[in-house]
Amino acid sequence: MSDTATTTPSPPGWLTPDSRILIVGGGFSGTMMAVNLSRYGGPRTVLLERAPERLGRGIAYGTAHPGQLLNVRAAGMSVFPDDPGHFATWLKEQGPAEHGAGATAAFVSRTTYGAYLRDTLASVRATAGDRLEVVAGEAVALTRTPAGQGAHPRVRLADGRTIDCDAVVLTPGNLPPHAPPGIDPAALPAGVYQDDPWAGDIAAGLSDADTVLLVGTGLTAIDMALSLDAAGFAGRIVALSRRGLSPRRHLDGLPPPAGLTDPPDAPLSRLLSEVRRAGTASDWRGAVDALRPVTQRWWARADTATRARFLRHLRPWWDVHRHRLAPAVADRIDAMVAAGRLRFVAGKIAGAVAEGNAARVTWRPRGAAAGDSLSVRRIINCTGPQGDVLRTGEPLLRQLVDDGMIRPDPLRLGIDVDAGSHVIGADGQAQPDLLCVGPMTRGSFWEIVAVPDIRRQCAEISRRLSNAHWIGEGL
């Protein structure tokens, strides 16, 4: 660990309107931090983004095609928890008929939502003036200046520039997936294995006689199946995961979910039994949706062993029931399955070898004694985002790990933070001037990957950093 990394940071409460906060990452989480800091009259803010074309949108809303829809209705997608109609109002102001009176119940496109985020950021920048600065660049190192210089954070960019500030908020989003077990990308012909499903044209070079293997059957696989279909690919798509589970669909016309009781010392088994009871009494969707107000509290009360059991046994079921598909998307997926163009299978990959300009993938179906094989022209990694910072290749995160300024949470779901989202270093101490928000805090909060949860986290942290202690509706 470097000497500068061990310098004791400034104590809490040191920020003033003249202080400077650096937000590293301009995707959804970073944008929400910048917008809210300005909204609450907080310190001067610098928003740093290495891919300016994705500013305000990130990967989720900056790489989607028009046919990819949000999996939450517009009524639940306002960026402000205390102004739930903000997005619906913006939609109506855009003019098209499909964004009219029924906008709040609609599942709009992700590209539309990306435009909303950029408009929101642009509106805030127009009024913030020089108090909100947007900088293009990639952060590669974070240190603290010597105590004689105030011991403040200093961030170095890839081009050699440095940015001094009083606090840093990390918003790394999701880390890219690792290569699935059984697949060695280096052993396959060029163009066969695609590690990043969002980079490049996944349908390039494919013919209708080809087969594409999607490794994973969750939301990323759904997106890739839709992308292939939109690109005109009429070949065969096979989506494979350990259990072969795919996301369920939303249903319209369901009654609002009833709240679950939340006694402070009840075990997680109590929560499970309540969800089962509620699901039996009505529809399982309402029972799952009723978890949102209590999930983070239940997760916080669970010890590491209990959380590990949840991840091992229940996470796959949680993912497909909690994160559902818009009805129109589910209809398109069902049609592809019915036509024989898309198949979901359960099993485990054993290996993959070159076969001309394709690959021969061997796999064992779940519950079967014998294996099977499949010739595929392309393998797309759809296993979803990873969070183990010990395996990351991101320069900044790698340096922070090496210098002991960040550490993984006990289950390696992301970056370890305390209840206030302050990053915990290798010494076990929370750092007041280094925070993290968004999906990489899932180890501490679990339910922190969707818009409603991230917007609340960003609003609460921004309000605290701005010394704005009022409590808005829904916060």
Side-chain angles (χ1 to χ4, degrees), residues 191-192 194 201-206 211-213 376-380:
V192 169
Q194 186 148 339
D201 181 1
I202 61 171
L206 297 178
T211 296
V212 173
L213 176 64
V376 300
R377 179 66 181 82
R378 182 148 299 147
I379 302 170
I380 304 175

Side-chain angles (χ1 to χ4, degrees), residues 33-409:
M33 283 299 305
V35 165
N36 279 288
L37 283 168
S38 178
R39 188 174 181 232
Y40 294 135
R44 294 175 300 145
T45 301
V46 178
L47 179 60
L48 178 68
E49 171 54 42
R50 62 185 173 187
E53 70 278 5
R54 293 182 181 174
L55 178 67
R57 300 176 299 169
I59 293 177
Y61 309 112
T63 60
H65 66 72
Q68 291 176 332
L69 305 182
L70 298 173
N71 60 357
V72 176
R73 293 176 179 84
M77 293 294 286
S78 167
V79 295
F80 302 123
D82 59 327
D83 186 4
H86 189 267
F87 180 40
T89 299
W90 180 90
L91 281 173
K92 293 173 183 177
E93 291 172 349
Q94 304 313 298
E98 61 268 26
H99 298 160
T104 57
F107 292 89
V108 303
S109 72
R110 295 219 295 264
T111 54
T112 296
Y113 194 70
Y116 163 64
L117 295 176
R118 295 203 72 154
D119 274 8
T120 302
L121 178 60
S123 177
V124 170
R125 291 180 67 185
T127 58
D130 60 4
R131 295 193 63 79
L132 173 54
E133 180 184 2
V134 175
V135 175
E138 180 181 9
V140 296
L142 189 161
T143 58
R144 292 192 177 93
T145 59
Q149 299 178 24
H152 59 263
R154 173 172 291 164
V155 173
R156 178 167 56 84
L157 308 188
D159 60 7
R161 289 177 293 166
T162 59
I163 299 176
D164 285 9
C165 53
D166 298 287
V168 174
V169 181
L170 304 173
T171 65
N174 290 306
L175 299 182
H178 309 304
I183 294 180
D184 178 7
L188 301 177
V192 169
Y193 175 74
Q194 186 148 339
D195 188 50
D196 184 353
W198 306 104
D201 181 1
I202 61 171
L206 297 178
S207 74
D208 292 348
D210 290 328
T211 296
V212 173
L213 176 64
L214 307 179
V215 184
T217 58
L219 290 176
T220 303
I222 297 295
D223 283 342
M224 293 306 104
L226 295 177
S227 294
L228 288 166
D229 184 53
F233 176 65
R236 183 185 180 204
I237 304 172
V238 178
L240 180 150
S241 67
R242 292 285 184 93
R243 292 175 174 81
L245 299 173
S246 59
R248 277 40 172 178
R249 70 164 62 216
H250 281 282
L251 284 184
D252 293 322
L254 294 175
L260 295 173
T261 59
D262 187 26
D265 299 318
L268 284 178
S269 57
R270 165 76 174 272
L271 179 63
L272 182 59
S273 64
E274 285 209 25
V275 172
R276 285 174 172 168
R277 174 188 53 76
T280 301
S282 57
D283 184 86
W284 63 262
R285 293 165 182 82
V288 172
D289 290 344
L291 288 168
R292 180 176 289 279
V294 302
T295 302
Q296 287 191 357
R297 292 199 297 271
W298 283 85
W299 184 263
R301 292 201 294 262
D303 58 24
T304 300
T306 301
R307 294 177 182 181
R309 288 198 302 273
F310 169 85
L311 296 175
R312 186 166 58 250
H313 299 297
L314 293 179
R315 182 177 186 176
W317 300 95
W318 169 272
D319 287 343
V320 299
H321 289 84
R322 181 69 187 85
H323 306 292
R324 302 193 288 274
L325 303 179
V329 170
D331 288 344
R332 291 170 59 191
I333 293 298
D334 289 348
M336 294 177 69
V337 171
R341 296 174 52 215
L342 172 63
R343 183 163 66 107
F344 293 93
V345 298
K348 181 180 179 180
I349 294 176
V353 297
E355 188 179 62
N357 67 344
R360 172 66 59 175
V361 177
T362 56
W363 65 288
R364 188 179 68 185
R366 187 176 180 86
D372 201 348
S373 68
L374 184 67
S375 180
V376 300
R377 179 66 181 82
R378 182 148 299 147
I379 302 170
I380 304 175
N381 189 344
C382 300
T383 54
Q386 300 300 311
D388 188 355
V389 293
L390 298 184
R391 298 179 63 184
T392 183
E394 293 283 343
L396 176 62
L397 296 183
R398 187 72 262 161
Q399 176 260 320
L400 292 174
V401 169
D402 291 344
D403 284 356
M405 297 178 72
I406 67 174
R407 70 180 187 183
D409 62 77

